[in-house]
Amino acid sequence: MALKSIRQAINEALFQEMRRDPRVVVIGEDVAGGAATAGERDCAGGVFGTTKGLIAEFGEGRVIDTPITESAIMGAAAGAAVAGLRPVAELMFCDFLGVCFDQIFNQAAKFRYMFGGKAKTPLVIRTTIGAGRGSAAQHSQSLYHIFTSIPGLKCVVPSNAYDAKGLLISAIRDDDPVVFCEHKLMYDLQTEVPDEPYRIPFGEASVVREGDDVTIVALSRMVHYSLEAALALAREGIECEIIDPRTTSPLDEETILESLERTGRLLVVDEATPRCGLAVDIAALAADKAFAALKAPPKRVTAPFTPVPFAPSLEKLYIPSPERIAAAVREVVGYRR
Amino acid sequence: MQLSRDTLLKAYRQMSTIRHFEERVQEEFAKGGIPGFVHLYAGEEASAVGTCLHLSAEDHIASTHRGHGHSIAKGCDVERMMLEIFGKKEGLCAGKGGSMHIADLGQGMLGANGIVGGAPPLAVGAALAAKTLGNGSVAVAFTGDGGSSQGTTFEALNLAVVLQLPAIFIFENNEDGESTGWRYAVGSGDIAARVRGFGLPSVKIDGDDFFAVYEAAGEAVARARRGEGPSAIEVETVRFFGHHSGDPQRYRSREDVLKLREERDCIKKFRLRVTAAGLLERAELDAIDRENAALIERAVARARAAPPPEDAALLTDVYLAY
Ligand SMILES: Cc1ncc(C[n+]2csc(CCOP(=O)(O)OP(=O)(O)O)c2C)c(N)n1
């Protein structure tokens, strides 16, 4: 096994799936780049470089650069999916969901149920999430909770390269629409990734760290911040169990509940805003199904209920930090009735 | 067309301010200190200035991610723009917006925009307000060649025609959208003609020629003010820098870029024309350049030294914070 970045893992999964199945196509803005310019074709390979090289092997027929036209990209991908392709459509930043939501949630997400079970919509929407690059309010959001809240959509939020590859392959082979959320600050993060294709099933959380004192449920970049916090807390004698759900829909409730039975304490860490988000969802799960085991009220560490600010000092405050996570754990562990 | 000496001087001053601003932002970005990324307008100055010279603070514009030039031309304070780009407390948006969200409602500047195609519907709204209030003002949407294909743009064009609003759509065709050539992305190969299909007058002009922009925009604004409805202008222009600072620009060659600066510089062309015609002296233009260099120097020095927003600002300007 070799060390690979999330960028490489995603790129490799796309290559392997496109080789395996000629119905898999990639469509989006600048997924190759350089169309009708004097310069190099494939000069972008996606603005984050994840689709680099695909056009050389699969050609313009399967690696499709589009105008800036998100509604048509998402709608065309949904239509193509019901008509026999398996499109991987790119939404450059999840914030651009605002331009094309209808085609995703009224169209793609509804087909299967609304048509009485007849439709298969094997569509993957790859998009990017996350603050921390000084990109301000319209390029920094983490909107997976919106996708998660729509029946008919599956939602994947990987935190490392191994998971990214296995989950993307599962997404491409899935017959339902899947939104795949990549954190912009994690593309260079490396883990061991097998060269051959493999699948990670949806709805199976990964226990990233074992511990008996508190259960931390964290997603994406927050998994790493939680690990940092857990290291510091271990020196104080507090052992955190960290669960990465990996997919928010379907959500692996069982792993979270089993852990809560043991620890009796829950902290959910989420880079997204606090209302109607994953943190609320998972806290409600605990209250609903693990009430008897709870020794402390479930606690949430999230971004504040504000847009993402531009100034670096404010943006840093906006994003949950390992320090805030550790402080919240201490509070949960120190709770007395 | 005869422009007064004052108008010519004002036009040159503004174009030169934008150029100095952008060249310097590029330098400062490379040095570090400017967060995020910036999309620079150098090369396109004639478009913003030739249009906005017809507007007052009561008129509105809505801009793009490449919004510094529009902001300066619409009267935004240059020092406070620089402060904003550096993410400082005294910035035009209190350091909360940055380069891509510079806005100054007092100057009728509805904001740069991070969403391609975000501006046209907003400008239509400002035009609707103007028509409903009957205050005689107009609204301008700036959009790129890339943004010209966005659905929101098409919808805004149609609505402006249906409601016969005092709106002007400026399509700045600088040839590329990120790394995609406009000839690929605009299926019909002609933005101005496509727009005409919506039922509004639409012309294509040479954006290197300030006078052509000034004249076309003047007609469009006058039409709108007379209550004769919207119009559109496709401005053929170029951007000297990459899509954003740091763009390796492999969709065009270094030589191509140097050639653009050599052959397609709207400011150079303006200088040649006004000096050759004996309208302005080279010395007075040079003096304006020096003043602008000093202005930008002050702006950068102030922005670098200025304090960031206070931490408490994270939770202000929202109706409710959790
Ligand atoms: C809705 C949306 N889609 C995509 C982007 C990413 N993006 C930012 S600028 C840009 C290219 C815009 O091209 P154009 O409209 O020609 O303006 P230019 O950059 O050339 O000034 C793209 C694709 C975006 N910001 N918003």
Side-chain angles (χ1 to χ4, degrees):
Chain A
M1 260 200 295
L3 275 178
K4 288 169 198 162
S5 67
I6 293 186
R7 179 182 291 104
Q8 287 171 308
I10 287 169
N11 186 256
E12 191 171 282
L14 290 170
F15 263 104
Q16 291 175 344
E17 287 303 287
M18 290 183 80
R19 278 179 199 141
R20 186 188 59 83
D21 185 344
R23 295 169 303 172
V24 178
V25 302
V26 164
I27 182 167
E29 294 158 15
D30 299 281
V31 290
T37 66
E40 283 170 43
R41 199 71 170 102
D42 203 24
C43 58
V47 294
F48 295 100
T50 43
T51 45
K52 190 93 185 158
L54 294 173
I55 198 168
E57 180 167 339
F58 304 105
E60 293 187 342
R62 291 179 66 198
V63 181
I64 304 161
D65 273 327
T66 67
I68 304 169
T69 186
E70 284 83 8
S71 276
I73 298 169
M74 294 306 145
V82 283
L85 295 182
R86 304 187 77 85
V88 180
E90 188 171 302
L91 182 59
M92 196 184 288
F93 290 75
C94 77
D95 314 67
F96 308 163
L97 170 65
V99 187
C100 58
F101 202 17
D102 177 69
Q103 296 293 327
I104 298 172
F105 98 102
N106 270 325
Q107 311 303 334
K110 303 284 194 282
F111 291 158
R112 181 169 155 191
Y113 185 90
M114 190 168 72
F115 298 160
K118 286 193 293 287
K120 284 193 169 77
T121 313
L123 161 66
V124 180
I125 298 167
R126 288 186 43 245
T127 193
T128 64
I129 58 169
R133 299 169 86 231
S135 310
Q138 296 173 343
H139 283 73
S140 304
Q141 298 169 86
S142 295
L143 299 175
Y144 38 75
H145 56 294
I146 295 183
F147 300 115
T148 306
S149 72
I150 307 293
L153 290 183
K154 294 177 178 172
C155 184
V156 182
V157 190
S159 69
N160 63 68
Y162 176 84
D163 288 353
K165 180 172 174 184
L167 290 165
L168 183 54
I169 290 177
S170 291
I172 293 171
R173 297 187 196 175
D174 200 289
D175 282 339
D176 287 312
V178 179
V179 184
F180 193 89
C181 302
E182 303 162 16
H183 200 295
K184 295 182 285 269
L185 274 89
M186 286 168 49
Y187 276 120
D188 291 319
L189 197 70
Q190 295 188 327
T191 36
E192 300 270 345
V193 177
D195 292 334
E196 63 277 5
Y198 58 95
R199 303 169 65 164
I200 296 174
F202 290 172
E204 278 189 20
S206 138
V207 179
V208 179
R209 185 182 197 280
E210 293 185 348
D212 286 332
D213 296 323
V214 56
T215 302
I216 300 180
V217 181
L219 289 162
S220 190
R221 195 172 181 217
M222 293 302 117
V223 172
H224 304 279
Y225 278 13
S226 298
L227 274 167
E228 248 182 75
L231 282 181
L233 291 161
R235 287 194 289 272
E236 301 169 21
I238 301 174
E239 290 301 335
C240 304
E241 180 139 304
I242 300 177
I243 297 177
D244 173 3
R246 302 197 286 197
T247 62
T248 56
S249 183
L251 178 71
D252 179 356
E253 298 188 352
E254 216 173 292
T255 300
I256 296 170
L257 292 171
E258 273 170 20
S259 173
L260 280 180
E261 288 301 324
R262 233 175 332 100
T263 64
R265 299 183 184 93
L266 174 67
L267 177 71
V268 193
V269 187
D270 187 1
E271 189 182 323
T273 44
R275 294 298 312 277
C276 306
L278 261 298
V280 171
D281 196 62
I282 291 167
L285 171 74
D288 193 12
K289 296 188 180 163
F291 187 73
L294 290 181
K295 299 174 195 159
K299 193 152 179 69
R300 299 172 285 144
V301 173
T302 68
F305 195 57
T306 71
V308 182
F310 170 67
S313 57
L314 296 185
E315 192 184 29
K316 191 155 186 285
L317 279 178
Y318 177 93
I319 303 168
S321 62
E323 294 72 32
R324 267 179 66 202
I325 297 168
V329 167
R330 287 186 201 105
E331 226 180 283
V332 176
V333 171
Y335 177 83
R336 300 283 172 268
R337 265 177 223 277
Chain B
M1 190 191 21
Q2 275 304 339
L3 276 75
S4 72
R5 210 184 119 72
D6 276 358
T7 307
L8 290 173
L9 282 170
K10 197 169 168 199
Y12 187 78
R13 180 176 296 278
Q14 289 193 355
M15 289 198 289
S16 158
T17 308
I18 298 172
R19 180 67 56 85
H20 280 85
F21 190 93
E22 296 295 63
E23 301 272 7
R24 187 63 185 269
V25 167
Q26 169 72 13
E27 266 175 50
E28 296 302 314
F29 186 86
K31 271 191 238 163
I34 295 179
F37 41 96
V38 287
H39 304 87
L40 302 176
Y41 192 72
E44 310 188 28
E45 292 87 350
S47 175
V49 174
T51 303
C52 292
L53 275 175
H54 298 286
L55 307 178
S56 76
E58 279 68 51
D59 299 309
H60 285 97
I61 67 165
S63 167
T64 68
H65 54 288
R66 202 174 300 291
H68 303 171
H70 307 136
S71 305
I72 291 172
K74 195 65 176 59
C76 292
D77 182 85
V78 169
E79 288 195 23
R80 294 198 60 207
M81 281 179 61
M82 195 65 87
L83 283 157
E84 187 60 34
I85 290 168
F86 274 82
K88 299 303 176 73
K89 179 184 168 176
E90 295 163 284
L92 266 181
C93 303
K96 288 177 164 181
S99 163
M100 242 188 321
H101 303 294
I102 287 175
D104 188 346
L105 301 179
Q107 293 295 335
M109 166 55 183
L110 288 178
N113 211 308
I115 302 299
V116 171
L122 298 176
V124 166
L128 175 64
K131 184 177 177 181
T132 307
L133 298 172
N135 62 15
S137 65
V138 303
V140 178
F142 289 96
T143 311
D145 48 283
S148 81
S149 296
Q150 183 67 286
T152 49
T153 304
F154 296 157
E155 294 181 27
L157 284 163
N158 187 52
L159 187 60
V161 173
V162 169
L163 302 180
Q164 283 299 295
L165 298 176
I168 296 100
F169 299 88
I170 307 284
F171 291 100
E172 299 180 319
N173 184 350
N174 64 11
E175 303 188 347
D176 299 306
E178 287 191 348
S179 69
T180 297
W182 79 276
R183 284 193 177 77
Y184 177 83
V186 177
S188 71
D190 190 331
I191 294 171
R194 181 170 71 181
V195 168
R196 221 169 286 138
F198 284 91
L200 67 167
S202 170
V203 295
K204 190 196 305 275
I205 52 148
D206 174 5
D208 301 349
D209 180 353
F210 164 82
F211 297 92
V213 180
Y214 184 83
E215 193 173 336
E219 278 171 31
V221 171
R223 235 179 80 79
R225 290 206 202 283
R226 288 196 304 268
E228 291 169 20
S231 6
I233 303 167
E234 177 185 352
V235 181
E236 294 181 302
T237 181
V238 290
R239 61 166 152 81
F240 288 169
F241 291 108
H243 172 61
H244 56 78
S245 9
D247 175 1
Q249 301 188 61
R250 286 199 295 262
Y251 47 87
R252 58 184 187 182
S253 67
R254 250 185 112 73
E255 296 73 64
D256 289 346
V257 176
L258 290 176
K259 217 163 107 191
L260 290 181
R261 285 204 180 248
E262 209 44 57
E263 295 172 3
R264 302 219 33 201
D265 185 335
C266 58
I267 298 183
K268 226 188 250 174
K269 288 184 182 183
F270 179 95
R271 276 183 71 110
L272 277 176
R273 182 144 162 203
V274 294
T275 50
L279 297 169
L280 298 175
E281 298 291 320
R282 207 176 294 158
E284 53 190 342
L285 299 177
D286 291 344
I288 289 175
D289 285 344
R290 280 194 302 275
E291 284 166 33
N292 275 325
L295 169 70
I296 303 302
E297 183 62 45
R298 273 199 309 279
V300 169
R302 182 173 162 201
R304 282 209 170 269
E310 274 128 35
D311 287 356
L314 178 65
L315 300 181
T316 61
D317 307 319
V318 278
Y319 69 91
L320 194 57
Y322 295 89

